[in-house]
Amino acid sequence: MKLVIVDDYDALSRAGADWLIEAIQEQPEAAIVAATGNTPTGMYIELAQYRSRGLVDTSRLRVFQLDAYLGLPPDDHRALFSWTRRSFIEPLGIAEENVVRLAGDAPDPWEACRYYEATVHEVGGFDLSILGLGPNGHLGFNEPPSPPDASTRVVDLTPESIVSNGRYWGGEEQVPRQALTCGMDLLLKARRTLLLVSGTHKHQIVHRAVEGPQTPDVPASFLQSAINVTVLVDWAAWRGQ
Ligand code: GLP
């Protein structure tokens, strides 16, 4: 695990974009799983600016949705697919046929999880994984406790995740209580991972994830044993002030 500490959120977004550009230039058709959340937003904006200046071709990436609320159609404003579309797929010029949804609105969501897993296996697993860190140590919606072999599945959200995700949608009552998440097993096998962490509120959890014991209670701690993981943290998160 490589730890890179940068000054602030802007520096994090720039450093993340540089990391991604290098990876995309090496492998323009990379299979990438891309997190939503506030943390990677600045990095995606940077990346889109590089693309619009013709400095990187992002249009051939094959994108996999990381997580989805159960029961929301993809065009619901809270659906994480619509967030991925706004922040990643459209600004980076990726065609819809190169996007694999985790279908939270499928009649049989467990079947949707199996289909997603089969599709990831078909492309040989993820080349790139872009992750944020939940306040409770979750990756995607792999809520604690999640062992390293946890599959892609339907999960109950923890009260902590419901509260923290309420800020995106104007209150916790807006947040569905269940979700689908790409499993730990697929995430931990990605060939390259970038974990982004910003802000004082992530101080304790980032230290537990990076330096603490590897435990299902902090799912992100299993990244310590994964290959080619870069953790990009700003000083606010690292120092807690
Ligand atoms: C959400 C999402 C995660 C995201 C995390 C951190 O619950 N399910 O995919 O990475 O929380 O979000 P943020 O970057 O806004 O702190």
Side-chain angles (χ1 to χ4, degrees), residues 9 34-41 66-69 80 83 130-136 138-143 157 160-162 164-165 167-168 179-181 195-198 201-202:
Y9 182 73
T36 55
N38 290 332
T39 319
T41 299
L66 175 63
D67 45 17
Y69 293 117
L80 298 180
W83 191 335
I130 307 300
L131 299 173
L133 179 64
N136 57 2
H138 71 211
L139 296 177
F141 272 135
N142 286 283
E143 297 281 51
L157 296 182
E160 203 173 0
S161 289
I162 293 167
S164 102
N165 285 6
R167 75 203 141 114
Y168 307 133
L180 279 61
T181 186
L195 175 70
L196 299 166
V197 192
S198 172
H201 62 300
K202 300 279 177 79

Side-chain angles (χ1 to χ4, degrees), residues 38-100:
N38 290 332
T39 319
T41 299
M43 177 179 79
Y44 296 157
I45 291 171
E46 284 277 331
L47 189 61
Q49 285 168 354
Y50 278 99
R51 175 193 174 239
S52 63
R53 283 188 260 138
L55 299 172
V56 62
D57 176 15
T58 50
S59 66
R60 289 186 283 152
L61 290 169
R62 291 164 300 161
V63 181
F64 290 78
Q65 186 179 347
L66 175 63
D67 45 17
Y69 293 117
L70 181 69
L72 296 187
D75 52 353
D76 186 291
H77 74 289
R78 296 163 297 164
L80 298 180
F81 181 72
S82 49
W83 191 335
T84 306
R85 185 159 50 201
R86 280 193 304 276
S87 69
F88 197 84
I89 297 167
E90 284 177 358
L92 299 183
I94 296 159
E96 292 266 340
E97 67 255 26
N98 285 342
V99 178
V100 176

